[in-house]
Amino acid sequence: MNGTALKNEALPSLLSGSGRQPFAAGLTMDGLSPANSEGALKLLSLTAQALRFERPPMPASFSIETAPNDTRPIVPAGLRRPIVRLLAGKTSTEHPAIAIARTFDRLRWRPHPFDLPALDTFVRVYAEQLGATALAWANRQKADAPDSGYFDAETLDDTNWMQSPPGRRVRYIETQREQDPDRARASLEAAWAQQPPDVRLRLLQAMQTGLSESDQPFLESLDKDRAPRVRSFALRLLSRLGSSHENQALQDCMQRIRQTQAGLLKRRTVLALEIPATVKEEAAPAWIRALCAEVSISELAATLNLSETSLPEAAAKDRNMLLMLALMATADRRLDLLEATVAHLENAWELLESSGLDDLGLMSVKERTQWVSILAKPYGRKLPERFFSWMWLHKMTAQAAPETLLKNVLETDWLSAVPGFDRHGQYWTEIIAALAPAPQRPALRQLLHTFDPTLTTTALQLVDILDAMEKSGTHV
Amino acid sequence: MALTLDRIEALAPDQPSLLAARKLLKPASWPTLAESEGLAWGECQGSGATPYRVVISETDDGYKCTCPSRKFPCKHSLALMWMRAEGKPPFAHASPPEWVKDWLSRRRKTTPTIEKDDPEGYSKPKASISLARQYEETEKDDPKAEARAAAARERNRQDREASMLAGLDDLDVWLNDQVHRGMAAFVAQSAQACRTIAQRLVDAKVSGLASRLEALPTRLFTLPENARSRAAVEELGQVYLIASAYRRAAELPADLVAEARQAAGWTLTRDALLGDAANLRVKGTWRVVANITEVQPDRLRRVETWLWLESPMEPGPRFAVLIDFVPVATGAAAGGYLTGDRIEAELIYYPSSLPLRAQIVQLVGGAQITGDDLELSANTLPAAYAGYERALAQLPWLRTWPLAFHSGFIRRSHDALYLCDEERTLALPLHAAQATQLLPLLSMGSLRGIGLWDGYQFTLTWAQTALGRWVYA
């Protein structure tokens, strides 16, 4: 009896049960009838063997796989394991991941494809900074993942900017706006309908660069955009152009500002912001942020009939007004005004954090570093001791801190004196390691080696990795 | 802070631990001993199939060992500390290997507890090194006692044989019941059915078949639904073959009988394995090509370390698998070696018509980490699979067989992944558990590799591609 006969004649009875479908009478094994228990078991074992020699069936078809067009070089082999060990292991905070992601982006590297499964969480959060392959990996299970291949060219132009990650699209438009605003607007208009809502808002923010009356028709056409935030931002830009469109947010703001004159010999304007009695003190920063979110400094100054540069001095006695100006100066990238404001508001860092500010918009790397310097300056060596303030700072900028800030950490015993350091020191060492600029890492290492090793394991691993990445790569 | 003998005494959980550690102070037991900046590590050949990896931190008395002992620190850790404290044998200065770095990166802040019930500082140690040094095992030369013990062992063996044969008779009845009900019905209630027969087989000391049946439901439910009934035929058929071969031992070749006895539940001790001159020994350079761990229903973790012989000097097996069983509670998730490690060793294979399972007889030096590729140019995937079919013809209840191949491709059909040859004449379904890890290989093109075929699914464990080496973690 061969395998085929066993599969055809014995298998059906084995599957359904010999009680329901008895074996065929002719199926005998060594003279034993299958009705005999030994004969039945012999049939079982021989049929089993026949099945085991069947080769697996060939699927009818296979998918065609296309690899993303990723021009970024892969991270050097010697760094793969340390990076996976750090990011896939137990870190106390997300700050090592932020630091490594920005370094990948700056060096224009990508993770090794074979490490993507182990780094899945990291890749999904920071995919835009890691190249086309990482983007494809992060989006592989999304229903609306693009059919076209992922793409992240080194140099963007009018033919390929649309295929790059969203962050790079925004930077491309902003750069084009600096050179040829009308042409940039035309590129944007042509591609507008294909952008998702969050990307449309970011691209619209790029329109602030080189804003002029020739942008007015396009901005007016956005009153039919499906995204409310896009519509309101377009209105904001239109009001800056002095169009007839009213900025309701500006009206709301003006209702809360009290403008008076003080001084006998030399009259000066004094501004104060009135907070409703129903808003609790701890909620005031968030309320203020909501109030001024859609108002620009130039609009406010024009409505108050004051110069922009005189606003901080006018608000000097009112902390709520100063906070509002700090928020507006940040949104408008007016770091000169921010600096003048913070001169009167020594804890601006913590107040901006408590306002819920969560985005620095299109600020460049250099601007973000300067922004941190301005906020940190009034503190001197008495830096904030709340971990969440530092966490917020790093997440806002996603950059290394200015050296002036870290100097105050590295040259004092401030870090070890932070309340709770002995229990939560690993959080602090990680974030300081993530914030430390490259020139200050040797000093940071020295400091870390003075602490209990269990508080500095991941921090030192991070410092080693960042140093090795920067030594191997070229800075962009 | 350098380790001292006083400190080791304070750390030792009890005197027997120190006694056991003293026996491990022989340099021959430690093919690797190294140190660097407050760390010391080594590899110790114990009773397991793979050497145990031990690391200590001299700065804070931290330690870690891959052995399954539930005493902390274990005898291996104590022995390493002891050798370090005494300064002999010498420890080579070296960079910490990856497994030491992995331990460092995972360390949590702990302090070895030393009870402070003594007003002056520390309690008296529970163990004494000086006592351990003085202890001598004196062999009690008593021929009569030895003869009584041997007779007792023979009685126990005969009792066990009788018990096992009775258990196999019960198994036949149970198998017939399943044939009568049908495999479709069996699959639906396999958990309960297998638990019942497994318990009976354990009582009858047929532990090997008991484990096989206890794990069967899980094995079936990893397969697609439409494949489970046929798989049940295959699995129960193999169980009957093992039982049948066990009963017909007198008619079968010795190698096959040895396999049947092992499959049924007889274990071969390391001493017995080493003591049989007929067992195949192979010396050479081996690469670790897979580490597979599986928690069994009996709460033991089965750890398989698969080895590939890099430069065979004569015809013989190219693969070997070292198998250890550790309690799940110990938390050891992997064997001592990492995939890719290279070791110089003599292995001894368990008796079999298809030598595969082995133990390390002797190690030359410690494991080396290397990025070298393997020479895998011998077989296409169909040719390697044909090797599996030949092996299956020799050992009908063969479970897992390693395949080494070139020109393989990972392809996707709907949601399933397959390993195919270039001409698409063979498509082995890849294990669903590794699907995510395999995705980056989809666009890699041709690859050379090694993996394990279990009759239903292929587990790729090693691949050499245009982007370098991929290993299954």
Side-chain angles (χ1 to χ4, degrees), chain A residues 213-402:
Chain A
E213 284 176 4
S214 57
D215 298 320
Q216 192 162 329
F218 170 63
L219 294 173
E220 286 173 345
S221 73
L222 296 181
D223 70 338
K224 295 184 180 56
D225 193 281
R226 290 193 307 277
R229 289 182 71 183
V230 169
R231 292 198 300 270
S232 68
F233 196 82
L235 274 178
R236 183 174 167 180
L237 295 181
L238 281 168
S239 71
R240 280 195 212 175
L241 290 173
S243 79
S244 60
H245 293 83
E246 269 192 12
N247 185 353
Q248 183 59 44
L250 176 60
Q251 304 306 317
D252 295 341
C253 212
M254 289 303 298
Q255 283 176 3
R256 288 284 160 192
I257 294 175
R258 194 175 70 245
Q259 185 176 14
T260 57
Q261 298 295 315
L264 290 173
L265 292 176
K266 187 177 177 189
R267 304 289 278 174
R268 64 183 194 284
T269 302
V270 174
L271 297 174
L273 185 67
E274 292 176 346
I275 309 290
T278 51
V279 175
K280 292 184 183 165
E281 188 181 340
E282 58 272 17
W287 183 89
I288 293 169
R289 182 171 146 257
L291 180 71
C292 66
E294 304 296 337
V295 181
S296 69
I297 275 207
S298 57
E299 292 177 280
L300 183 68
T303 308
L304 290 169
N305 210 21
L306 294 171
S307 68
E308 292 169 9
T309 51
S310 65
L311 288 173
E313 196 58 41
K317 300 290 185 206
D318 187 85
R319 297 179 64 76
N320 291 326
M321 189 71 203
L322 285 168
L323 176 58
M324 190 170 84
L325 288 179
L327 285 163
M328 293 166 77
T330 296
D332 290 349
R333 296 158 71 183
R334 291 295 304 273
L335 299 182
D336 57 328
L337 295 179
L338 178 67
E339 189 165 11
T341 304
V342 169
H344 303 290
L345 191 68
E346 70 283 356
N347 63 339
W349 173 348
E350 290 162 288
L351 286 174
L352 285 174
E353 181 224 327
S354 57
S355 78
L357 178 66
D358 59 2
D359 186 7
L360 291 180
L362 299 181
M363 265 199 208
S364 65
V365 170
K366 192 173 165 189
E367 285 172 330
R368 287 167 193 247
T369 305
Q370 191 183 352
W371 181 80
V372 173
S373 285
I374 292 169
L375 293 184
K377 187 176 173 187
Y379 289 84
R381 293 191 164 191
K382 291 188 182 171
L383 295 162
E385 291 180 347
R386 279 182 72 247
F387 180 78
F388 290 104
S389 298
W390 289 79
M391 185 174 85
W392 171 83
L393 194 78
H394 190 210
K395 288 176 80 167
M396 285 288 286
T397 61
Q399 301 296 330

Side-chain angles (χ1 to χ4, degrees), chain B residues 281-315:
Chain B
R281 293 180 181 228
V282 178
K283 266 190 204 176
T285 304
W286 302 85
R287 296 291 294 282
V288 179
V289 294
N291 274 298
I292 306 289
T293 64
E294 181 190 46
V295 176
Q296 301 183 150
D298 57 5
R299 304 305 294 159
L300 283 178
R301 193 188 307 272
R302 179 188 172 101
V303 180
E304 295 181 357
T305 306
W306 288 83
L307 304 177
W308 162 266
L309 183 61
E310 281 200 289
S311 307
M313 306 298 288
E314 51 201 28

Side-chain angles (χ1 to χ4, degrees), chain A residues 399-429:
Chain A
Q399 301 296 330
E403 289 188 32
T404 47
L405 173 57
L406 265 290
K407 198 169 145 69
N408 289 328
V409 173
L410 298 174
E411 293 180 2
T412 67
D413 60 358
W414 171 85
L415 185 56
S416 58
V418 163
F421 183 79
D422 56 339
R423 278 178 291 116
H424 303 301
Q426 189 163 354
Y427 299 161
W428 283 103
T429 56

Side-chain angles (χ1 to χ4, degrees), chain B residues 53-274:
Chain B
R53 285 180 161 172
V54 196
V55 56
I56 59 174
S57 167
E58 294 176 287
T59 52
D60 61 4
D61 300 338
Y63 52 85
K64 170 70 182 169
C65 179
T66 57
C67 80
S69 170
R70 297 191 201 204
K71 287 190 178 179
F72 301 104
C74 64
K75 60 183 181 184
H76 309 102
S77 304
L78 289 170
L80 190 66
M81 292 179 195
W82 196 332
M83 291 187 290
R84 192 75 184 131
E86 290 195 324
K88 55 180 183 188
F91 282 59
H93 183 75
S95 297
E98 292 298 328
W99 60 271
V100 171
K101 289 181 188 172
D102 284 344
W103 173 69
L104 282 174
S105 71
R106 287 197 303 268
R107 280 194 79 189
R108 287 194 291 276
K109 184 176 181 182
T110 56
T111 307
T113 51
I114 297 174
E115 289 152 14
K116 294 187 179 181
D117 56 6
D118 184 330
E120 290 181 5
Y122 295 91
S123 63
K124 288 185 182 168
K126 301 177 282 294
S128 161
I129 284 182
S130 58
L131 272 179
R133 282 195 215 273
Q134 289 164 22
Y135 179 84
E136 287 179 19
E137 277 190 81
T138 54
E139 287 197 75
K140 296 186 178 170
D141 194 6
D142 185 343
K144 285 186 184 171
E146 181 52 37
R148 280 197 298 272
R153 281 196 295 272
E154 178 58 21
R155 276 197 306 277
N156 288 340
R157 191 193 66 75
Q158 289 174 5
D159 288 346
R160 185 177 178 184
E161 290 279 6
S163 175
M164 288 176 77
L165 289 171
L168 294 180
D169 289 341
D170 288 343
L171 177 62
D172 283 354
V173 171
W174 180 85
L175 284 169
N176 263 301
D177 286 345
Q178 309 318 313
V179 169
H180 185 78
R181 286 199 199 100
M183 294 301 131
F186 165 72
V187 170
Q189 39 93 46
S190 57
Q192 181 58 44
C194 290
R195 198 177 306 129
T196 306
I197 187 61
Q199 188 53 54
R200 278 205 231 126
L201 290 174
V202 165
D203 292 342
K205 299 189 175 40
V206 191
S207 52
L209 285 176
S211 295
R212 201 171 178 115
L213 284 163
E214 208 167 11
L216 176 55
T218 304
R219 199 166 157 81
L220 291 177
F221 282 94
T222 61
L223 302 174
E225 193 174 345
N226 58 2
R228 289 174 195 163
S229 296
R230 287 168 67 108
V233 172
E234 294 182 37
E235 294 295 321
L236 295 186
Q238 289 175 68
V239 167
Y240 178 69
L241 275 175
I242 293 169
S244 191
Y246 188 92
R247 283 188 279 239
R248 295 173 51 212
E251 305 164 34
L252 298 175
D255 284 345
L256 198 58
V257 170
E259 282 276 5
R261 290 181 69 80
Q262 283 180 54
W266 288 98
T267 54
L268 194 57
T269 63
R270 181 177 167 84
D271 286 342
L273 182 68
L274 294 173

